[in-house]
Amino acid sequence: MRGRSGTPSCVWRVDPALIERLDACLGPPLDAYVRGWQVWLEPHGPDGATLEWRLHPPAGFRMPRGINHNDLFDLALQGLADSDDPAADPLPLGKARLRLADIWEVLEAFPAFGDDIPPDELALICTRALDGRAPDAAGRADHARLGDRWKGSRGAFSVGAALLETLEPYEPA
């Protein structure tokens, strides 16, 4: 959502280096969901405000059979480490082999408890938290509308693609 309304948000397109940096900078996820989301809550904001970091799966994602959703991040990370070509190789996940792009589309960061951090400031904070990795886009997102669209589609709607479409490309100053 452009303008002054909506939740300040930053997004990164997922690639192997981002997943490895996420692990190095934030450690294992605090929470995980059967639908594939991985979540961290970290006090990176101004005055220790909590930011939520969330890996979003692509539309239609289904948890691979034979794994627990709480193990998805660690198994994907191990698959990336064991791969000769982590951007292209399918990763062994339970009874399936999935490419990284089939597991997660984007990483999103936003104030967890409604703090209104200007998007450019949020992008700088997040860049520092990820040891220099700037987001691909930043701005304000209508999380309620995106959630309703995802629920209405029974998971066939891509929240990640919608975020990339909604937010402005980010160019570090």
Side-chain angles (χ1 to χ4, degrees):
M1 172 174 282
R2 300 177 200 275
R4 297 284 305 150
S5 60
T7 302
S9 298
C10 295
V11 294
W12 295 255
R13 288 174 182 86
V14 168
D15 61 43
L18 178 66
I19 298 301
E20 291 168 356
R21 185 164 300 195
L22 190 57
D23 181 56
C25 295
L26 302 185
L30 172 70
D31 204 357
Y33 296 85
V34 173
R35 298 287 186 172
W37 290 285
Q38 306 289 299
V39 177
W40 294 255
L41 295 173
E42 298 288 333
H44 294 131
D47 300 320
T50 301
L51 300 184
E52 181 167 330
W53 300 78
R54 181 177 291 238
L55 280 169
H56 288 277
F61 175 82
R62 299 285 181 255
M63 188 62 58
R65 287 178 37 207
I67 69 166
N68 182 296
H69 59 280
N70 292 309
D71 298 329
L72 181 61
F73 185 79
D74 286 338
L75 290 170
L77 194 61
Q78 185 60 52
L80 292 172
D82 293 344
S83 173
D84 291 330
D85 186 359
D89 287 347
L91 308 175
L93 298 170
K95 299 185 183 298
R97 294 183 63 82
L98 299 174
R99 293 176 309 114
L100 185 58
D102 298 327
I103 305 167
W104 300 298
E105 283 184 305
V106 300
L107 169 66
E108 180 186 16
F110 56 92
F113 303 114
D115 294 300
D116 190 20
I117 303 169
D120 285 343
E121 182 180 342
L122 179 64
L124 290 172
I125 291 166
C126 291
T127 298
R128 283 193 298 271
L130 289 181
D131 198 23
R133 175 81 183 248
D136 294 307
R140 293 180 180 273
D142 186 341
H143 282 168
R145 183 182 62 81
L146 293 174
D148 287 347
R149 288 188 66 192
W150 183 85
K151 289 175 193 169
S153 75
R154 297 184 181 182
F157 172 73
S158 170
V159 174
L163 286 166
L164 287 167
E165 183 179 296
T166 301
L167 304 176
E168 299 290 333
Y170 179 72
E171 296 294 329

